[in-house]
Amino acid sequence: MKNRSISIRLILMNFIEFAIWGAYLTSMGSFLADAGLGPKIWLFFATQGFVSIFMPALVGIVADKWVPAQKVLSLCQLLAGIFMIATGLYAMKNGTFIAAANVAADGSGHMVYSALPQFNFTIFYVLYLLSVAFFMPTIAISNSVAYSALEGAGLDAVKAFPPIRVFGTVGFICSMFLVNFLSNSHGVQYQHSYEQFFVSGALSLVLCAYALTMPNCPCKPSDKGASLSESLGLDAFSLFKQRQFAIFFIFSMLLGASLQITNGYANTFITSFKDNPLFAGSWGAANANVLISIGQVSETLCILLIPFAMKKFGIKNVMLIAMFAWVFRFGFFGLGNPGNGVWLFILSGIVYGVAFDFFNISGSLYVNENTDSGIRSSAQGLFMLMTNGLGASIGTWAAGKVVNAFVYIPQAKAAQAGLDPAAVSAAGNWSGAWFTFAAYALVVGVLFAILFKNPAKAKA
């Protein structure tokens, strides 16, 4: 009964944790575009990578050495929630709703958000930046809270955590649907308005309170004779001295470069088929988000496969499966179209669950099993830094270079040559970009297979 109780409590914690993220992550770009900030959308998404370079590791140190992890989680969610609500309030007070420029065939239109002249981008962005800076560390900290609670209850985290974590993705999807179907008094869906920030901020405040009810996660205070590195929790970085951990963290960064590519470009790519007369009226081109959401559903289901996969194939092979899944994820995009090739987009969504879950969850479990409890939270933060920090930041920058070279620069040249819109769109070689990403993932997978040894459970 006790074990069931702790599982239910952790399920609710994970549900809220990722519902906070889902309230705005997939819909914020639409709001920013309406607000006249379309050219700066990349900055808001890249910000998550920037802050993940240092914040998860620093907050992990605090949780390891001085403040119990559940209290750190509560404090971070409090600050993240306050700043996210402030982001929405600033947009509300410095914007209005106007009739959209485009109207339906019957003459009816709809309302969209529009920033007023006094809207200050710097203030708006800094508020968002502060919220994200305190939210991103909570992903790793919530893992530490869960692992500590499960081990305290005598459960095997490898078997018990994945079914719990799956409800995090369920929470993400539910939050996406919430902001999709709710509308404000102007008839504007939350996903196109600043209300999405209110939803996210409110959920953060809920988790702030709920985290304090979680089992205590004991700190490991530094010994009086400990070095400065040990006192600050920097000894997690000493893991780089071990060849296997160094290889693991380096490849975490290399694989992390793939994480934001489809988040940043999949919707734009699929929607671009509307400019092609062959696919302009296709269901797929008009419903890019629906196609992309298949990946979220797949992610939910694939988490449940992790205990079986870990037992059947071992942690190295599970990681390899994830790496080669990225090859198929990108390759299917390069081969597919929203008409008779829409099934390839569907397959891309299905393999996304394997690509994302199998490395992120198995990697987190690898860190948990092979590090001492005194540096575990710091090590989880370091894993987050390498994947969602350095990896995602470098990947966002590099993906932009690739897409510009294959798509936007050729299209700009076609436009300058006076070609019609359909010809301009066709000048972009999206398939070349996706195949480049697939080739990159293939090289990373092959090198990992050669260099990384199948680990034995040995505490660092």
mmCIF file with all atom_site columns, all heavy atoms in Angstrom, residues 414-439:
data_model
loop_
_atom_site.group_PDB
_atom_site.id
_atom_site.type_symbol
_atom_site.label_atom_id
_atom_site.label_alt_id
_atom_site.label_comp_id
_atom_site.label_asym_id
_atom_site.label_entity_id
_atom_site.label_seq_id
_atom_site.pdbx_PDB_ins_code
_atom_site.Cartn_x
_atom_site.Cartn_y
_atom_site.Cartn_z
_atom_site.occupancy
_atom_site.B_iso_or_equiv
_atom_site.pdbx_formal_charge
_atom_site.auth_seq_id
_atom_site.auth_comp_id
_atom_site.auth_asym_id
_atom_site.auth_atom_id
_atom_site.pdbx_PDB_model_num
ATOM 1   N N   . ALA A 1 414 ? 15.605 32.885 -55.549 1.00 0.00 ? 414 ALA A N   1
ATOM 2   C CA  . ALA A 1 414 ? 14.498 32.692 -56.493 1.00 0.00 ? 414 ALA A CA  1
ATOM 3   C C   . ALA A 1 414 ? 13.554 33.886 -56.474 1.00 0.00 ? 414 ALA A C   1
ATOM 4   O O   . ALA A 1 414 ? 13.051 34.318 -57.514 1.00 0.00 ? 414 ALA A O   1
ATOM 5   C CB  . ALA A 1 414 ? 13.743 31.412 -56.154 1.00 0.00 ? 414 ALA A CB  1
ATOM 6   N N   . ALA A 1 415 ? 13.314 34.437 -55.288 1.00 0.00 ? 415 ALA A N   1
ATOM 7   C CA  . ALA A 1 415 ? 12.434 35.605 -55.168 1.00 0.00 ? 415 ALA A CA  1
ATOM 8   C C   . ALA A 1 415 ? 13.053 36.819 -55.852 1.00 0.00 ? 415 ALA A C   1
ATOM 9   O O   . ALA A 1 415 ? 12.361 37.593 -56.533 1.00 0.00 ? 415 ALA A O   1
ATOM 10  C CB  . ALA A 1 415 ? 12.169 35.908 -53.696 1.00 0.00 ? 415 ALA A CB  1
ATOM 11  N N   . GLN A 1 416 ? 14.371 36.969 -55.684 1.00 0.00 ? 416 GLN A N   1
ATOM 12  C CA  . GLN A 1 416 ? 15.063 38.083 -56.326 1.00 0.00 ? 416 GLN A CA  1
ATOM 13  C C   . GLN A 1 416 ? 15.031 37.957 -57.846 1.00 0.00 ? 416 GLN A C   1
ATOM 14  O O   . GLN A 1 416 ? 15.071 38.962 -58.567 1.00 0.00 ? 416 GLN A O   1
ATOM 15  C CB  . GLN A 1 416 ? 16.514 38.143 -55.847 1.00 0.00 ? 416 GLN A CB  1
ATOM 16  C CG  . GLN A 1 416 ? 16.657 38.544 -54.380 1.00 0.00 ? 416 GLN A CG  1
ATOM 17  C CD  . GLN A 1 416 ? 18.089 38.448 -53.885 1.00 0.00 ? 416 GLN A CD  1
ATOM 18  O OE1 . GLN A 1 416 ? 18.997 38.016 -54.613 1.00 0.00 ? 416 GLN A OE1 1
ATOM 19  N NE2 . GLN A 1 416 ? 18.306 38.836 -52.631 1.00 0.00 ? 416 GLN A NE2 1
ATOM 20  N N   . ALA A 1 417 ? 14.937 36.731 -58.324 1.00 0.00 ? 417 ALA A N   1
ATOM 21  C CA  . ALA A 1 417 ? 14.878 36.499 -59.771 1.00 0.00 ? 417 ALA A CA  1
ATOM 22  C C   . ALA A 1 417 ? 13.485 36.737 -60.338 1.00 0.00 ? 417 ALA A C   1
ATOM 23  O O   . ALA A 1 417 ? 13.267 36.624 -61.542 1.00 0.00 ? 417 ALA A O   1
ATOM 24  C CB  . ALA A 1 417 ? 15.326 35.077 -60.092 1.00 0.00 ? 417 ALA A CB  1
ATOM 25  N N   . GLY A 1 418 ? 12.519 37.052 -59.445 1.00 0.00 ? 418 GLY A N   1
ATOM 26  C CA  . GLY A 1 418 ? 11.171 37.368 -59.893 1.00 0.00 ? 418 GLY A CA  1
ATOM 27  C C   . GLY A 1 418 ? 10.286 36.172 -60.165 1.00 0.00 ? 418 GLY A C   1
ATOM 28  O O   . GLY A 1 418 ? 9.281  36.291 -60.872 1.00 0.00 ? 418 GLY A O   1
ATOM 29  N N   . LEU A 1 419 ? 10.619 35.013 -59.624 1.00 0.00 ? 419 LEU A N   1
ATOM 30  C CA  . LEU A 1 419 ? 9.797  33.818 -59.828 1.00 0.00 ? 419 LEU A CA  1
ATOM 31  C C   . LEU A 1 419 ? 8.499  33.920 -59.046 1.00 0.00 ? 419 LEU A C   1
ATOM 32  O O   . LEU A 1 419 ? 8.400  34.660 -58.063 1.00 0.00 ? 419 LEU A O   1
ATOM 33  C CB  . LEU A 1 419 ? 10.577 32.569 -59.418 1.00 0.00 ? 419 LEU A CB  1
ATOM 34  C CG  . LEU A 1 419 ? 11.895 32.298 -60.166 1.00 0.00 ? 419 LEU A CG  1
ATOM 35  C CD1 . LEU A 1 419 ? 12.531 31.015 -59.669 1.00 0.00 ? 419 LEU A CD1 1
ATOM 36  C CD2 . LEU A 1 419 ? 11.662 32.228 -61.669 1.00 0.00 ? 419 LEU A CD2 1
ATOM 37  N N   . ASP A 1 420 ? 7.478  33.163 -59.450 1.00 0.00 ? 420 ASP A N   1
ATOM 38  C CA  . ASP A 1 420 ? 6.202  33.180 -58.752 1.00 0.00 ? 420 ASP A CA  1
ATOM 39  C C   . ASP A 1 420 ? 6.336  32.463 -57.413 1.00 0.00 ? 420 ASP A C   1
ATOM 40  O O   . ASP A 1 420 ? 7.292  31.692 -57.186 1.00 0.00 ? 420 ASP A O   1
ATOM 41  C CB  . ASP A 1 420 ? 5.119  32.510 -59.600 1.00 0.00 ? 420 ASP A CB  1
ATOM 42  C CG  . ASP A 1 420 ? 5.414  31.043 -59.869 1.00 0.00 ? 420 ASP A CG  1
ATOM 43  O OD1 . ASP A 1 420 ? 5.161  30.206 -58.986 1.00 0.00 ? 420 ASP A OD1 1
ATOM 44  O OD2 . ASP A 1 420 ? 5.929  30.740 -60.968 1.00 0.00 ? 420 ASP A OD2 1
ATOM 45  N N   . PRO A 1 421 ? 5.395  32.692 -56.462 1.00 0.00 ? 421 PRO A N   1
ATOM 46  C CA  . PRO A 1 421 ? 5.501  32.128 -55.109 1.00 0.00 ? 421 PRO A CA  1
ATOM 47  C C   . PRO A 1 421 ? 5.683  30.618 -55.079 1.00 0.00 ? 421 PRO A C   1
ATOM 48  O O   . PRO A 1 421 ? 6.439  30.099 -54.266 1.00 0.00 ? 421 PRO A O   1
ATOM 49  C CB  . PRO A 1 421 ? 4.177  32.539 -54.458 1.00 0.00 ? 421 PRO A CB  1
ATOM 50  C CG  . PRO A 1 421 ? 3.808  33.810 -55.156 1.00 0.00 ? 421 PRO A CG  1
ATOM 51  C CD  . PRO A 1 421 ? 4.251  33.614 -56.578 1.00 0.00 ? 421 PRO A CD  1
ATOM 52  N N   . ALA A 1 422 ? 4.994  29.891 -55.973 1.00 0.00 ? 422 ALA A N   1
ATOM 53  C CA  . ALA A 1 422 ? 5.126  28.435 -55.988 1.00 0.00 ? 422 ALA A CA  1
ATOM 54  C C   . ALA A 1 422 ? 6.543  28.022 -56.366 1.00 0.00 ? 422 ALA A C   1
ATOM 55  O O   . ALA A 1 422 ? 7.125  27.103 -55.779 1.00 0.00 ? 422 ALA A O   1
ATOM 56  C CB  . ALA A 1 422 ? 4.118  27.822 -56.958 1.00 0.00 ? 422 ALA A CB  1
ATOM 57  N N   . ALA A 1 423 ? 7.129  28.728 -57.323 1.00 0.00 ? 423 ALA A N   1
ATOM 58  C CA  . ALA A 1 423 ? 8.497  28.417 -57.751 1.00 0.00 ? 423 ALA A CA  1
ATOM 59  C C   . ALA A 1 423 ? 9.506  28.794 -56.671 1.00 0.00 ? 423 ALA A C   1
ATOM 60  O O   . ALA A 1 423 ? 10.512 28.102 -56.471 1.00 0.00 ? 423 ALA A O   1
ATOM 61  C CB  . ALA A 1 423 ? 8.819  29.151 -59.046 1.00 0.00 ? 423 ALA A CB  1
ATOM 62  N N   . VAL A 1 424 ? 9.232  29.886 -55.966 1.00 0.00 ? 424 VAL A N   1
ATOM 63  C CA  . VAL A 1 424 ? 10.107 30.302 -54.863 1.00 0.00 ? 424 VAL A CA  1
ATOM 64  C C   . VAL A 1 424 ? 10.116 29.236 -53.774 1.00 0.00 ? 424 VAL A C   1
ATOM 65  O O   . VAL A 1 424 ? 11.168 28.840 -53.265 1.00 0.00 ? 424 VAL A O   1
ATOM 66  C CB  . VAL A 1 424 ? 9.655  31.655 -54.283 1.00 0.00 ? 424 VAL A CB  1
ATOM 67  C CG1 . VAL A 1 424 ? 10.409 31.958 -52.989 1.00 0.00 ? 424 VAL A CG1 1
ATOM 68  C CG2 . VAL A 1 424 ? 9.878  32.770 -55.294 1.00 0.00 ? 424 VAL A CG2 1
ATOM 69  N N   . SER A 1 425 ? 8.927  28.732 -53.422 1.00 0.00 ? 425 SER A N   1
ATOM 70  C CA  . SER A 1 425 ? 8.839  27.697 -52.396 1.00 0.00 ? 425 SER A CA  1
ATOM 71  C C   . SER A 1 425 ? 9.548  26.422 -52.845 1.00 0.00 ? 425 SER A C   1
ATOM 72  O O   . SER A 1 425 ? 10.249 25.780 -52.059 1.00 0.00 ? 425 SER A O   1
ATOM 73  C CB  . SER A 1 425 ? 7.369  27.389 -52.095 1.00 0.00 ? 425 SER A CB  1
ATOM 74  O OG  . SER A 1 425 ? 7.248  26.368 -51.120 1.00 0.00 ? 425 SER A OG  1
ATOM 75  N N   . ALA A 1 426 ? 9.381  26.076 -54.119 1.00 0.00 ? 426 ALA A N   1
ATOM 76  C CA  . ALA A 1 426 ? 9.998  24.844 -54.645 1.00 0.00 ? 426 ALA A CA  1
ATOM 77  C C   . ALA A 1 426 ? 11.515 24.942 -54.686 1.00 0.00 ? 426 ALA A C   1
ATOM 78  O O   . ALA A 1 426 ? 12.200 23.915 -54.715 1.00 0.00 ? 426 ALA A O   1
ATOM 79  C CB  . ALA A 1 426 ? 9.455  24.542 -56.032 1.00 0.00 ? 426 ALA A CB  1
ATOM 80  N N   . ALA A 1 427 ? 12.047 26.156 -54.663 1.00 0.00 ? 427 ALA A N   1
ATOM 81  C CA  . ALA A 1 427 ? 13.505 26.329 -54.704 1.00 0.00 ? 427 ALA A CA  1
ATOM 82  C C   . ALA A 1 427 ? 14.168 25.847 -53.427 1.00 0.00 ? 427 ALA A C   1
ATOM 83  O O   . ALA A 1 427 ? 15.363 25.542 -53.403 1.00 0.00 ? 427 ALA A O   1
ATOM 84  C CB  . ALA A 1 427 ? 13.852 27.796 -54.957 1.00 0.00 ? 427 ALA A CB  1
ATOM 85  N N   . GLY A 1 428 ? 13.390 25.771 -52.360 1.00 0.00 ? 428 GLY A N   1
ATOM 86  C CA  . GLY A 1 428 ? 13.939 25.289 -51.093 1.00 0.00 ? 428 GLY A CA  1
ATOM 87  C C   . GLY A 1 428 ? 14.047 23.775 -51.078 1.00 0.00 ? 428 GLY A C   1
ATOM 88  O O   . GLY A 1 428 ? 13.071 23.069 -51.357 1.00 0.00 ? 428 GLY A O   1
ATOM 89  N N   . ASN A 1 429 ? 15.218 23.276 -50.756 1.00 0.00 ? 429 ASN A N   1
ATOM 90  C CA  . ASN A 1 429 ? 15.461 21.822 -50.745 1.00 0.00 ? 429 ASN A CA  1
ATOM 91  C C   . ASN A 1 429 ? 15.359 21.290 -49.317 1.00 0.00 ? 429 ASN A C   1
ATOM 92  O O   . ASN A 1 429 ? 16.357 21.005 -48.653 1.00 0.00 ? 429 ASN A O   1
ATOM 93  C CB  . ASN A 1 429 ? 16.839 21.524 -51.333 1.00 0.00 ? 429 ASN A CB  1
ATOM 94  C CG  . ASN A 1 429 ? 17.139 20.032 -51.391 1.00 0.00 ? 429 ASN A CG  1
ATOM 95  O OD1 . ASN A 1 429 ? 16.256 19.199 -51.206 1.00 0.00 ? 429 ASN A OD1 1
ATOM 96  N ND2 . ASN A 1 429 ? 18.396 19.702 -51.628 1.00 0.00 ? 429 ASN A ND2 1
ATOM 97  N N   . TRP A 1 430 ? 14.123 21.154 -48.820 1.00 0.00 ? 430 TRP A N   1
ATOM 98  C CA  . TRP A 1 430 ? 13.914 20.652 -47.462 1.00 0.00 ? 430 TRP A CA  1
ATOM 99  C C   . TRP A 1 430 ? 14.452 19.233 -47.310 1.00 0.00 ? 430 TRP A C   1
ATOM 100 O O   . TRP A 1 430 ? 15.000 18.881 -46.267 1.00 0.00 ? 430 TRP A O   1
ATOM 101 C CB  . TRP A 1 430 ? 12.427 20.689 -47.111 1.00 0.00 ? 430 TRP A CB  1
ATOM 102 C CG  . TRP A 1 430 ? 11.937 22.012 -46.629 1.00 0.00 ? 430 TRP A CG  1
ATOM 103 C CD1 . TRP A 1 430 ? 11.174 22.918 -47.311 1.00 0.00 ? 430 TRP A CD1 1
ATOM 104 C CD2 . TRP A 1 430 ? 12.170 22.599 -45.341 1.00 0.00 ? 430 TRP A CD2 1
ATOM 105 N NE1 . TRP A 1 430 ? 10.922 24.020 -46.532 1.00 0.00 ? 430 TRP A NE1 1
ATOM 106 C CE2 . TRP A 1 430 ? 11.509 23.849 -45.318 1.00 0.00 ? 430 TRP A CE2 1
ATOM 107 C CE3 . TRP A 1 430 ? 12.863 22.186 -44.197 1.00 0.00 ? 430 TRP A CE3 1
ATOM 108 C CZ2 . TRP A 1 430 ? 11.526 24.694 -44.206 1.00 0.00 ? 430 TRP A CZ2 1
ATOM 109 C CZ3 . TRP A 1 430 ? 12.886 23.017 -43.089 1.00 0.00 ? 430 TRP A CZ3 1
ATOM 110 C CH2 . TRP A 1 430 ? 12.226 24.250 -43.097 1.00 0.00 ? 430 TRP A CH2 1
ATOM 111 N N   . SER A 1 431 ? 14.288 18.412 -48.346 1.00 0.00 ? 431 SER A N   1
ATOM 112 C CA  . SER A 1 431 ? 14.764 17.029 -48.245 1.00 0.00 ? 431 SER A CA  1
ATOM 113 C C   . SER A 1 431 ? 16.266 16.980 -48.000 1.00 0.00 ? 431 SER A C   1
ATOM 114 O O   . SER A 1 431 ? 16.765 16.166 -47.213 1.00 0.00 ? 431 SER A O   1
ATOM 115 C CB  . SER A 1 431 ? 14.422 16.256 -49.523 1.00 0.00 ? 431 SER A CB  1
ATOM 116 O OG  . SER A 1 431 ? 13.036 16.067 -49.650 1.00 0.00 ? 431 SER A OG  1
ATOM 117 N N   . GLY A 1 432 ? 17.009 17.859 -48.676 1.00 0.00 ? 432 GLY A N   1
ATOM 118 C CA  . GLY A 1 432 ? 18.449 17.913 -48.467 1.00 0.00 ? 432 GLY A CA  1
ATOM 119 C C   . GLY A 1 432 ? 18.806 18.228 -47.031 1.00 0.00 ? 432 GLY A C   1
ATOM 120 O O   . GLY A 1 432 ? 19.750 17.661 -46.466 1.00 0.00 ? 432 GLY A O   1
ATOM 121 N N   . ALA A 1 433 ? 18.039 19.141 -46.409 1.00 0.00 ? 433 ALA A N   1
ATOM 122 C CA  . ALA A 1 433 ? 18.290 19.495 -45.012 1.00 0.00 ? 433 ALA A CA  1
ATOM 123 C C   . ALA A 1 433 ? 18.020 18.301 -44.099 1.00 0.00 ? 433 ALA A C   1
ATOM 124 O O   . ALA A 1 433 ? 18.823 17.973 -43.214 1.00 0.00 ? 433 ALA A O   1
ATOM 125 C CB  . ALA A 1 433 ? 17.418 20.682 -44.611 1.00 0.00 ? 433 ALA A CB  1
ATOM 126 N N   . TRP A 1 434 ? 16.872 17.624 -44.313 1.00 0.00 ? 434 TRP A N   1
ATOM 127 C CA  . TRP A 1 434 ? 16.530 16.483 -43.453 1.00 0.00 ? 434 TRP A CA  1
ATOM 128 C C   . TRP A 1 434 ? 17.522 15.344 -43.616 1.00 0.00 ? 434 TRP A C   1
ATOM 129 O O   . TRP A 1 434 ? 17.893 14.685 -42.639 1.00 0.00 ? 434 TRP A O   1
ATOM 130 C CB  . TRP A 1 434 ? 15.109 15.998 -43.751 1.00 0.00 ? 434 TRP A CB  1
ATOM 131 C CG  . TRP A 1 434 ? 14.032 16.954 -43.338 1.00 0.00 ? 434 TRP A CG  1
ATOM 132 C CD1 . TRP A 1 434 ? 13.114 17.550 -44.140 1.00 0.00 ? 434 TRP A CD1 1
ATOM 133 C CD2 . TRP A 1 434 ? 13.766 17.445 -42.012 1.00 0.00 ? 434 TRP A CD2 1
ATOM 134 N NE1 . TRP A 1 434 ? 12.299 18.380 -43.411 1.00 0.00 ? 434 TRP A NE1 1
ATOM 135 C CE2 . TRP A 1 434 ? 12.674 18.328 -42.099 1.00 0.00 ? 434 TRP A CE2 1
ATOM 136 C CE3 . TRP A 1 434 ? 14.347 17.221 -40.768 1.00 0.00 ? 434 TRP A CE3 1
ATOM 137 C CZ2 . TRP A 1 434 ? 12.142 18.990 -40.987 1.00 0.00 ? 434 TRP A CZ2 1
ATOM 138 C CZ3 . TRP A 1 434 ? 13.836 17.877 -39.653 1.00 0.00 ? 434 TRP A CZ3 1
ATOM 139 C CH2 . TRP A 1 434 ? 12.752 18.744 -39.761 1.00 0.00 ? 434 TRP A CH2 1
ATOM 140 N N   . PHE A 1 435 ? 17.971 15.103 -44.838 1.00 0.00 ? 435 PHE A N   1
ATOM 141 C CA  . PHE A 1 435 ? 18.946 14.032 -45.057 1.00 0.00 ? 435 PHE A CA  1
ATOM 142 C C   . PHE A 1 435 ? 20.303 14.378 -44.430 1.00 0.00 ? 435 PHE A C   1
ATOM 143 O O   . PHE A 1 435 ? 21.036 13.487 -43.988 1.00 0.00 ? 435 PHE A O   1
ATOM 144 C CB  . PHE A 1 435 ? 19.105 13.744 -46.552 1.00 0.00 ? 435 PHE A CB  1
ATOM 145 C CG  . PHE A 1 435 ? 17.895 13.117 -47.195 1.00 0.00 ? 435 PHE A CG  1
ATOM 146 C CD1 . PHE A 1 435 ? 17.570 13.386 -48.518 1.00 0.00 ? 435 PHE A CD1 1
ATOM 147 C CD2 . PHE A 1 435 ? 17.070 12.261 -46.470 1.00 0.00 ? 435 PHE A CD2 1
ATOM 148 C CE1 . PHE A 1 435 ? 16.454 12.807 -49.107 1.00 0.00 ? 435 PHE A CE1 1
ATOM 149 C CE2 . PHE A 1 435 ? 15.951 11.683 -47.050 1.00 0.00 ? 435 PHE A CE2 1
ATOM 150 C CZ  . PHE A 1 435 ? 15.641 11.954 -48.367 1.00 0.00 ? 435 PHE A CZ  1
ATOM 151 N N   . THR A 1 436 ? 20.629 15.655 -44.385 1.00 0.00 ? 436 THR A N   1
ATOM 152 C CA  . THR A 1 436 ? 21.853 16.079 -43.700 1.00 0.00 ? 436 THR A CA  1
ATOM 153 C C   . THR A 1 436 ? 21.760 15.784 -42.218 1.00 0.00 ? 436 THR A C   1
ATOM 154 O O   . THR A 1 436 ? 22.715 15.267 -41.604 1.00 0.00 ? 436 THR A O   1
ATOM 155 C CB  . THR A 1 436 ? 22.107 17.583 -43.920 1.00 0.00 ? 436 THR A CB  1
ATOM 156 O OG1 . THR A 1 436 ? 22.267 17.845 -45.318 1.00 0.00 ? 436 THR A OG1 1
ATOM 157 C CG2 . THR A 1 436 ? 23.362 18.041 -43.179 1.00 0.00 ? 436 THR A CG2 1
ATOM 158 N N   . PHE A 1 437 ? 20.614 16.082 -41.636 1.00 0.00 ? 437 PHE A N   1
ATOM 159 C CA  . PHE A 1 437 ? 20.410 15.779 -40.214 1.00 0.00 ? 437 PHE A CA  1
ATOM 160 C C   . PHE A 1 437 ? 20.467 14.270 -39.961 1.00 0.00 ? 437 PHE A C   1
ATOM 161 O O   . PHE A 1 437 ? 21.011 13.811 -38.952 1.00 0.00 ? 437 PHE A O   1
ATOM 162 C CB  . PHE A 1 437 ? 19.064 16.336 -39.734 1.00 0.00 ? 437 PHE A CB  1
ATOM 163 C CG  . PHE A 1 437 ? 18.939 17.827 -39.859 1.00 0.00 ? 437 PHE A CG  1
ATOM 164 C CD1 . PHE A 1 437 ? 17.726 18.409 -40.219 1.00 0.00 ? 437 PHE A CD1 1
ATOM 165 C CD2 . PHE A 1 437 ? 20.020 18.653 -39.631 1.00 0.00 ? 437 PHE A CD2 1
ATOM 166 C CE1 . PHE A 1 437 ? 17.597 19.784 -40.328 1.00 0.00 ? 437 PHE A CE1 1
ATOM 167 C CE2 . PHE A 1 437 ? 19.913 20.038 -39.739 1.00 0.00 ? 437 PHE A CE2 1
ATOM 168 C CZ  . PHE A 1 437 ? 18.694 20.602 -40.090 1.00 0.00 ? 437 PHE A CZ  1
ATOM 169 N N   . ALA A 1 438 ? 19.887 13.488 -40.889 1.00 0.00 ? 438 ALA A N   1
ATOM 170 C CA  . ALA A 1 438 ? 19.896 12.033 -40.745 1.00 0.00 ? 438 ALA A CA  1
ATOM 171 C C   . ALA A 1 438 ? 21.316 11.483 -40.813 1.00 0.00 ? 438 ALA A C   1
ATOM 172 O O   . ALA A 1 438 ? 21.697 10.591 -40.037 1.00 0.00 ? 438 ALA A O   1
ATOM 173 C CB  . ALA A 1 438 ? 19.029 11.389 -41.833 1.00 0.00 ? 438 ALA A CB  1
ATOM 174 N N   . ALA A 1 439 ? 22.110 12.031 -41.731 1.00 0.00 ? 439 ALA A N   1
ATOM 175 C CA  . ALA A 1 439 ? 23.500 11.586 -41.853 1.00 0.00 ? 439 ALA A CA  1
ATOM 176 C C   . ALA A 1 439 ? 24.290 11.909 -40.582 1.00 0.00 ? 439 ALA A C   1
ATOM 177 O O   . ALA A 1 439 ? 25.111 11.104 -40.125 1.00 0.00 ? 439 ALA A O   1
ATOM 178 C CB  . ALA A 1 439 ? 24.156 12.254 -43.063 1.00 0.00 ? 439 ALA A CB  1
#
